[in-house]
Amino acid sequence: MTDSHDDGQRAGGRKTGIDRRPEPALALVVVPVATRRARGGEEDGAARRSPEAQRAEAVGLAAAIDLVIAGSTIVNLTTLRPATLLGKGKVEEIAALVKAEAAELVFVDHALTPVQQRNLEKAWSAKVLDRTGLILEIFGRRARTKEGTLQVEHAHLTYQKSRLVRSWTHLERQRGGFGFLGGPGETQIEADRRVIQERLTKIERELEQVTRTRRLHRSARRKVPYPIVALVGYTNAGKSTLFNRLTRADVLAKDLLFATLDPTLRVVRLPHKTEILLSDTVGFISDLPTMLVAAFRATLEEVLEAEIILHVRDMAHEDAEAQGADVETILGELGIDTEKAGRVIEVWNKTDLLGAEARMQLANRAARRSDGERPILVSAETGEGVDGLLDAIEARITAGRPEYDVRIGAEDGAGRHWLHEHSDVLGSKTDARGRTTYRVRIDPAHSEALLGRYPDIKRASLGKAAE
């Protein structure tokens, strides 16, 4: 019998047969919401959110790997059970729900220990995935570059290694011989652990090579010193859409959690021709697994070295404040000083999704901030406010650069060309004799050359027009 799929391939490449790709798994989403008492008085990312917002994010995470959501439920926790995380009654209630919905997978939006995961799988007769495991799955699908793939694999093996050691401890009781020699179960664990460790060591060597290559690229860029401006923000805040708007690039931008993963760099020319390197990075999320923060540290080196960080926020989201706090927490974990004056510009995005009154309130909130901390309201989708953002970036980049008034005769075409190539021409004024005075702002690296060409030029007086 001829395979119908093969027939379809032969018929002009059109797909007329059966698609043999596995069907998306039917999943149930469980969102444990722990009280402050259950958390031991600590406040984490989840504590700043409403239960419904946590549910919406959990469903979004599940949808990001194409799971079909059979249903979702919120479980209030007053005590974190060591064996199952949830109370016995809730475990039984969810087991009935899993059976009724014929769910193949249960996503628990919380970190689970290996023992808790194994016990819940037995109780529910379904595959159980915790928050860390699901985020690792998403990252595994999104990684495109060799570096991103290596980083994800390193994080996944680190996670798997801890599961192997703890979840298989029952095999250590399978002892033979004289009682103190390990049986076949213990040998298998040691073999698996060694294989994982060897792979981890190999990945770490390859990542070190990637890091060295990045250092070489960074050294090369310093020879043509473009300031680095990095985009950071909560996942799905609109960073990639804004990146595309500013660079006219075509980076994947979808209404999807972690739509992009690998970093992208593009040159952007600002209004007065100052050039910057704009970097788009992986989105952050509350309770981001520590191993992922560590794995992606090399990727985030561009953020560490950035002269300016654009913190993009989705101001149309009900949890905008909590998301902003989560991003600041992760930046702090990376060792980035967000308190440094002028380094962070908040970009309040998605204003096109707000009503007129809400936009007015947001504008008033921004206006009440001091000049150095005032956010920029934009819509990356429509382009509204983007020109103001570019002006703000340029103002921060060029702050402190000297300005000069340079008078050039009508015959000095080469001088005009040099000024436009090596400085920011802020304005000009031509007198009756055809001489033009240019107000220029110049990078300190080119100041000496400017003074060499025009030794008699004067430092411009701030606030006065060129004369």
Side-chain angles (χ1 to χ4, degrees), residues 23-35:
E23 290 292 322
L26 197 61
L28 186 69
V29 177
V30 176
V31 184
V33 177
T35 63

Side-chain angles (χ1 to χ4, degrees), residues 374-431:
R374 188 166 298 147
I376 309 297
L377 276 64
V378 306
S379 167
E381 187 66 33
T382 67
E384 182 183 358
V386 168
D387 289 343
L389 174 60
L390 290 171
D391 288 336
I393 294 171
E394 189 163 47
R396 297 280 181 97
I397 291 287
T398 60
R401 289 186 180 180
E403 294 182 9
Y404 294 95
D405 288 334
V406 185
R407 180 173 290 172
I408 296 179
E411 73 287 351
D412 191 4
R416 284 188 177 81
H417 178 75
W418 191 94
L419 287 180
H420 282 90
E421 284 293 313
H422 296 91
S423 69
D424 302 331
V425 177
L426 305 179
S428 64
K429 187 176 181 180
T430 303
D431 62 18

Side-chain angles (χ1 to χ4, degrees), residues 171-177 181-191:
L171 292 179
E172 294 179 358
R173 292 195 294 271
Q174 296 180 9
R175 297 183 181 277
L181 296 176
E186 186 173 15
T187 302
Q188 184 61 53
I189 289 173
E190 292 298 330

Side-chain angles (χ1 to χ4, degrees), residues 34-48 80 287:
T35 63
R36 182 180 287 271
R37 177 183 172 186
R39 296 189 307 271
E42 295 181 0
E43 182 171 308
D44 56 13
R48 293 187 285 260
L80 305 182
D287 304 319

